[in-house]
């Protein structure tokens, strides 16, 4: 999915600013839930998709069920590839910073140099809380889970 069909979100958090992309509000909610209940998301793209409230003092499962008519576990199973993409899209910085980041990444072709650039960009955070790295690790765990399920299904 290209960036023009995804919504841009600001991660609501007490730490450094982060933005991410998601195909819809449900995907944004699932990506935020992967990080924990202390986070929310503000849709920066205008209409078409809603925000995700910070649910630290309420039950995220109840809010999710009311919004999407299924449990977060059911949603994650149905939308796992989209959630993985959303988690991989977390970038340190605000909307303006993201434009600079994406422009730089578009110019870097070699995978090793891209990794160095991403690592250096992440080092710009002021908090010990590395949300971008945590989102990346969660995406990797979900990918591994998906691969294991596919492998198990193929061997049955």
């Amino acid at each position: 999915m290209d960036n023009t069909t995804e919504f841009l979100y600001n991660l609501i958090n007490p730490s450094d600013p982060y933005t991410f992309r998601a195909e819809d509000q449900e995907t944004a909610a699932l990506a935020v839930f992967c990080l924990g209940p202390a986070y929310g998301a503000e849709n920066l793209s205008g209409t078409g998709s809603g925000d995700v409230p910070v649910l630290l003092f309420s039950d995220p499962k109840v809010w999710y069920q009311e919004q999407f008519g299924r449990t977060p576990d059911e949603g994650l199973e149905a939308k796992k590839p989209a959630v993985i993409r959303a988690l991989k899209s977390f970038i340190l910085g605000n909307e303006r910073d993201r434009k600079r980041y994406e422009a730089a990444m578009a110019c870097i072709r070699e995978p090793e140099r891209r990794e160095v650039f991403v690592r250096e960009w992440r080092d710009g955070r002021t908090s010990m809380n590395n949300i971008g790295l945590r989102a990346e690790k969660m995406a990797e765990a979900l990918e591994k889970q998906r691969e294991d399920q596919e492998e198990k299904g193929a061997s049955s």
Side-chain angles (χ1 to χ4, degrees):
M1 184 173 284
D2 65 60
N3 291 346
T4 59
T5 57
E6 293 178 321
F7 296 97
L8 181 63
Y9 285 87
N10 173 53
L11 182 70
I12 300 167
N13 77 93
S15 187
D16 292 311
Y18 279 84
T19 58
F20 69 100
R21 295 188 183 280
E23 67 181 29
D24 55 28
Q25 182 188 20
E26 184 176 13
T27 302
L30 290 165
V32 168
F33 286 7
C34 284
L35 297 175
Y39 303 101
E42 173 191 15
N43 176 6
L44 299 175
S45 299
T47 60
S49 189
D51 296 337
V52 179
V54 175
L55 297 165
L56 188 58
F57 300 111
S58 57
D59 188 347
K61 292 176 184 175
V62 170
W63 177 85
Y64 187 92
Q65 182 93 34
E66 289 171 355
Q67 294 296 310
F68 306 111
R70 57 183 169 186
T71 68
D73 289 339
E74 292 167 340
L76 185 58
E77 275 310 303
K79 299 182 78 62
K80 194 172 286 182
V83 174
I84 291 168
R85 283 192 306 275
L87 287 166
K88 286 182 173 183
S89 76
F90 273 75
I91 301 297
L92 173 67
N94 59 29
E95 186 175 7
R96 192 169 138 210
D97 296 329
R98 184 179 196 91
K99 288 178 183 174
R100 289 187 4 256
Y101 176 93
E102 289 176 345
M105 287 293 281
C107 297
I108 305 171
R109 301 283 180 232
E110 300 84 10
E112 300 83 21
R113 289 185 181 193
R114 289 174 76 92
E115 285 180 32
V116 169
F117 177 79
V118 169
R119 201 170 40 248
E120 292 294 322
W121 186 274
R122 283 187 182 149
D123 279 346
R125 68 188 196 288
T126 59
S127 169
M128 294 298 291
N129 192 8
N130 192 339
I131 294 168
L133 183 60
R134 212 162 87 230
E136 180 183 312
K137 295 296 181 193
M138 180 58 69
E140 289 171 0
L142 289 174
E143 281 181 323
K144 173 88 170 86
Q145 185 183 72
R146 186 179 68 184
E147 289 167 3
D148 290 349
Q149 287 173 335
E150 289 172 359
E151 190 175 293
K152 186 177 179 181
S155 66
S156 299

